[in-house]
Amino acid sequence: MATKPPKQIEHIGIAVRNLEESVRFYTELIGLKLLGYETVESEKVRVAFLEIGETRLELLEATSPESPIAQFIEKKGEGIHHIALQVDDAVERLDGLKSKGIKLIHEVPKEGAHGNLVAFLHPKSTNGVLLELCQPQVEAKE
Ligand code: ZN
């Protein structure tokens, strides 16, 4: 059975050192609309979402040195951190990918920003791109 395509790019995650400065750049100089801020305790990050057409940019700032974002910036510097694909069947997809030998960071989805179910696939299995599966909890929430 063919896998159905994800609906769209839910967002692109960008690791930043200073959230306020980055938000100022993307709103004042690029002209994007700020949708809001949120702290995601499980990932030790504070994020800002910016609307761009049907999708969003997610700026991520670490709230602790143990945050995956702090570790990413330490190793690679600021920049694109992940691409999130919107799906409506995260659990089934994770099971399917796992059974095909794809390396997963999360074998079951957990709660991310906006209460969405999220899970990351390991870059070793995705051509070096950290891919997030993002399943909105409530349809048309935004
Ligand atoms: Zn994300």
Side-chain angles (χ1 to χ4, degrees), residues 3 89-102 104:
T3 305
D89 53 358
V91 171
E92 293 80 359
R93 278 177 191 268
L94 290 168
D95 288 346
L97 290 166
K98 191 185 171 193
S99 74
K100 297 215 160 60
I102 299 302
L104 306 175

Side-chain angles (χ1 to χ4, degrees), residues 69-85:
I69 292 301
Q71 291 163 17
F72 176 88
I73 289 178
E74 176 106 337
K75 272 192 226 148
K76 300 186 176 175
E78 293 181 296
I80 293 184
H81 178 258
H82 65 271
I83 295 179
L85 306 179

Side-chain angles (χ1 to χ4, degrees), residues 5 13 25 30 46 71-72 86 113 125 129 136:
F25 169 76
I30 302 295
R46 202 159 66 92
Q71 291 163 17
F72 176 88
Q86 186 181 322
S125 289
V129 177

Side-chain angles (χ1 to χ4, degrees), residues 59-72:
L59 306 177
L60 304 107
E61 176 193 68
T63 56
S64 143
E66 293 96 62
S67 166
I69 292 301
Q71 291 163 17
F72 176 88

Side-chain angles (χ1 to χ4, degrees), residues 31-35 49-57:
L32 296 182
K33 182 179 153 203
L34 176 66
L35 294 170
F49 280 94
L50 299 145
E51 183 178 64
I52 174 161
E54 293 288 299
T55 190
R56 282 162 287 281
L57 295 184

